[in-house]
Amino acid sequence: MGRALVLGGGGVTGVAWELGLLAGLAERGVACDEADLVVGTSAGSVVGAQVCSGVPAAELYEAQLRPPRDEVPARLGLGVLARWAWAGARGRDAARARARVGALALSARTPSEESRRAVIAARLPTAVWPARRLLVTAVDAASGEFVVFDAGSGVSLVEAVGASCAVPGVWPPVTIGGRRYVDGGVRSPVNADLAAGAERVVVLAPTSAAVGPMPRLSAQVAALRSAGARVAVVAPDRAARAAIGRNVLDPTRRAASARAGFAQAAVVADEVAAVWV
């Protein structure tokens, strides 16, 4: 396998920052959206579906600068994060830890699946799986099993992305084939290990915090490098963190986050190009 682009989770501001960064890199001749493999987790699944659709990165970036209209405001507050961390940090069994987080998601009061599906569908340029290999991560809410959806899974792209974006305690788990699924970030905020086998890997990680038995991004990257891959990891810089703010689900911060990603591309372009070009 040649080049892999790994897109981590980070809410609506993470979507915007990643698209701004990708557009800025493309403007400088570093076309990460031309990856052979794209791995998307949560916000990254949205970006992955978008960049694999064939829509130019510049156009996707420009869309992030428009005033939000259909986005439902939400808050990923400290209370939700604390309950998530408490459930996930107990014990060393990763699947059981994820199932505890899934149980929180199943019992939470959230908007309906139907309304959330409409929001996800509106974010995607197409509902058809792309020709390029796209992996979308999710977690079975009941068993804690880590699941990777792709074009051969028999699951619609909207369902897969919706499941990957189903933040526990905020958005409803997504029903697929009688099972209910939550955010792929419950297993790992980035899931960079799914790029194993690629020779060159670029990882965009709006957040990389991990609790309990969650795989650490540092360990995933180390394993990729040990296997011979060249890897570049980009996280939001100080200006981007300020633009994103404390609530990654605040759509009013989308444009600022996108601009911050675009500006950061000028700083990291050489580092990314050394791996990618």
Side-chain angles (χ1 to χ4, degrees):
M1 190 199 311
R3 300 181 296 183
L5 174 63
V6 180
L7 301 162
V12 295
T13 56
V15 170
W17 175 78
E18 289 180 352
L19 288 172
L21 190 62
L22 290 170
L25 288 171
E27 188 172 88
R28 290 163 178 81
V30 188
C32 292
D33 55 345
E34 295 179 354
D36 303 296
L37 167 68
V38 177
V39 178
T41 293
S42 197
S45 71
V46 175
V47 177
Q50 290 182 342
V51 300
C52 288
S53 70
V55 178
E59 187 175 328
L60 294 170
Y61 166 62
E62 289 295 330
Q64 294 297 306
L65 305 181
R66 300 174 194 143
R69 294 182 179 179
D70 300 324
E71 291 287 350
V72 179
R75 172 167 285 279
L76 188 57
L78 292 177
V80 172
L81 290 173
R83 290 194 297 273
W84 190 348
W86 179 80
R90 291 181 294 144
R92 297 183 179 181
D93 187 301
R96 288 185 179 179
R98 294 193 294 265
R100 286 193 292 270
V101 177
L104 290 177
L106 292 170
S107 64
R109 297 181 62 182
T110 64
S112 69
E113 282 192 58
E114 292 75 16
S115 64
R116 183 62 179 160
R117 179 186 173 90
V119 171
I120 297 297
R123 290 179 180 173
L124 306 184
T126 176
V128 178
W129 282 91
R132 266 187 297 161
R133 193 175 182 215
L134 171 64
L135 304 182
V136 175
T137 67
V139 168
D140 186 306
S143 69
E145 178 188 1
F146 180 55
V147 178
V148 181
F149 297 117
D150 62 14
S153 298
V155 173
S156 77
L157 182 61
V158 174
E159 288 175 329
V161 172
S164 194
C165 292
V167 180
V170 178
W171 304 123
V174 172
T175 305
I176 301 174
R179 307 292 297 179
R180 302 195 75 192
Y181 296 90
V182 294
D183 200 309
V186 172
R187 189 258 182 175
S188 162
V190 186
N191 292 299
D193 51 336
L194 294 182
E199 299 169 353
R200 291 171 282 175
V201 183
V202 169
V203 179
L204 305 189
T207 180
S208 59
V211 297
M214 269 187 171
R216 269 49 179 178
L217 174 59
S218 58
Q220 294 176 343
V221 170
L224 291 171
R225 287 174 173 156
S226 294
R230 289 187 287 164
V231 185
V233 179
V234 184
D237 59 14
R238 180 179 297 180
R241 292 195 300 271
I244 289 169
R246 295 184 178 181
N247 181 19
V248 299
L249 301 181
D250 183 357
T252 66
R253 303 192 76 94
R254 190 176 70 187
S257 300
R259 291 190 180 97
F262 190 87
Q264 189 176 350
V267 179
V268 302
D270 289 346
E271 174 189 355
V272 175
V275 167
W276 198 255
V277 179

